[in-house]
Amino acid sequence: KSPILSRIRKVFVKGNYSVQYEASATGAVQHTEGANAPTEETLALGTINFIAKYFKKWIRVSDTVLALRGEEFMDYLMREFGHQLAIALENAIVAEITASALSAKVTNDLDNTATMAGFAALSDEAVNPVVITSKAVYAAIMNARATTGAKIEDPFNGFEVLFNNTLSDSILVGDLDGVVANFPEGDDFQFIVDRTSLAEQDLVKIVGKVLADIHLVRPNGFAVVTAE
C-alpha cells in the first residue's frame, strides 16, 4: 500500500549486488557516406554496490497480556510492525535520493516555481516524475500561491505529490523507477514469534524484519530542491 515503495524497482539477488550506470556518454551523430569517420564515443561507467542490511523492530510482550487480549492483539502487533517497517523503507528511499551523488542538486525558493526548477534538472530518462515532500512544505507552497499574487492553479504542474515528513526543507522531483532496492530474502516482511527463549520470565519476543539495500541508479533521475 506504500505509494513510494510501490513505484521503485525491486530485485531479489541473494548476496551483494552491483549495478553499473552510465555516468556520461557522447551522443550519436549523423554521418555522410564517404566522409571521415565520426569521433569515437567517450563512455564513462560508474558502479553502485548494494550491501543489504536488516530493517528491524522488536518487542517483548507478557504471557498475561496475550492471554487477556488474545490473538486480536497479536494481529494488531503484526500490522503495526509491518507499518513501521514500511515507513523505515520509505524513509531510507528519501534519504538515499537526498544524499545520492546521482541526484541533481537545485537551489530555489520553495514556492510555486520549485517543482519546475527541479523538473528542468532531470535527465530524459526520468519519464514519470513525481514530487515527494512533507505536508508542511506542501501546505506552505499552496498557501503562498494564494497570498503572493502568483495564483498558479497547480504549483506542482500536475505531478502526483507523495508525502514524507522527513523532508522538512526540501522537495524531491523525479522518477522512482530510477531507484532500485535489493531484497535478498524477498520483500515480504518476516515475523518471528519466540515463545520459548524467555518463557521463564513469562515473556514472548516478537521480531519483525526485512533485509534490503536501496540506491538511486539513474544520474539526474531525481532533483533535490532546497531553499536558497
Side-chain angles (χ1 to χ4, degrees):
K1 295 181 180 179
S2 163
I4 295 178
L5 281 175
S6 63
R7 287 170 167 82
I8 67 171
R9 283 184 287 155
K10 301 178 181 69
V11 295
F12 306 96
V13 178
K14 291 189 177 297
N16 295 338
Y17 175 60
S18 295
V19 171
Q20 281 195 325
Y21 66 91
E22 184 180 287
S24 64
T26 51
V29 297
Q30 188 180 56
H31 178 245
T32 302
E33 185 177 2
N36 292 335
T39 303
E40 181 182 0
E41 177 185 24
T42 300
L43 178 64
L45 298 177
T47 302
I48 295 175
N49 296 314
F50 288 71
I51 302 173
K53 296 180 181 179
Y54 277 108
F55 293 77
K56 186 178 294 184
K57 179 179 173 67
W58 71 285
I59 193 172
R60 289 172 294 187
V61 184
S62 72
D63 288 339
T64 302
V65 168
L66 292 179
L68 293 176
R69 298 194 178 187
E71 286 303 314
E72 184 177 349
F73 182 64
M74 181 69 78
D75 292 342
Y76 156 73
L77 287 176
M78 297 296 190
R79 291 193 302 271
E80 195 269 343
F81 271 39
H83 176 67
Q84 294 297 332
L85 288 170
I87 288 175
L89 288 170
E90 283 196 354
N91 290 345
I93 293 169
V94 169
E96 162 63 17
I97 293 170
T98 301
S100 173
L102 300 187
S103 294
K105 304 302 190 291
V106 178
T107 55
N108 192 90
D109 287 339
L110 294 183
D111 57 13
N112 52 46
T113 66
T115 294
M116 294 311 293
F119 176 74
L122 298 180
S123 68
D124 288 343
E125 290 73 26
V127 295
N128 293 304
V130 298
V131 174
I132 306 175
T133 192
S134 68
K135 292 178 180 177
V137 172
Y138 175 86
I141 292 174
M142 294 298 286
N143 289 336
R145 176 193 61 149
T147 58
T148 61
K151 297 185 178 180
I152 296 175
E153 182 177 350
D154 181 6
F156 300 98
N157 198 49
F159 300 154
E160 184 174 2
V161 180
L162 309 177
F163 296 110
N164 183 281
N165 283 335
T166 65
L167 295 168
S168 60
D169 58 357
S170 61
I171 69 171
L172 310 180
V173 184
D175 187 349
L176 282 165
D177 184 66
V179 178
V180 173
N182 184 32
F183 294 94
E185 298 178 329
D187 59 350
D188 290 332
F189 299 155
Q190 299 178 42
F191 296 101
I192 301 167
V193 181
D194 178 2
R195 299 178 181 272
T196 59
S197 64
L198 298 174
E200 74 281 3
Q201 301 178 48
D202 296 323
L203 293 173
V204 176
K205 185 190 299 182
I206 304 169
V207 180
K209 62 181 183 177
V210 61
L211 185 63
D213 195 21
I214 301 165
H215 290 285
L216 178 66
V217 300
R218 181 177 296 155
N220 294 341
F222 259 91
V224 181
V225 185
T226 52
E228 290 181 310

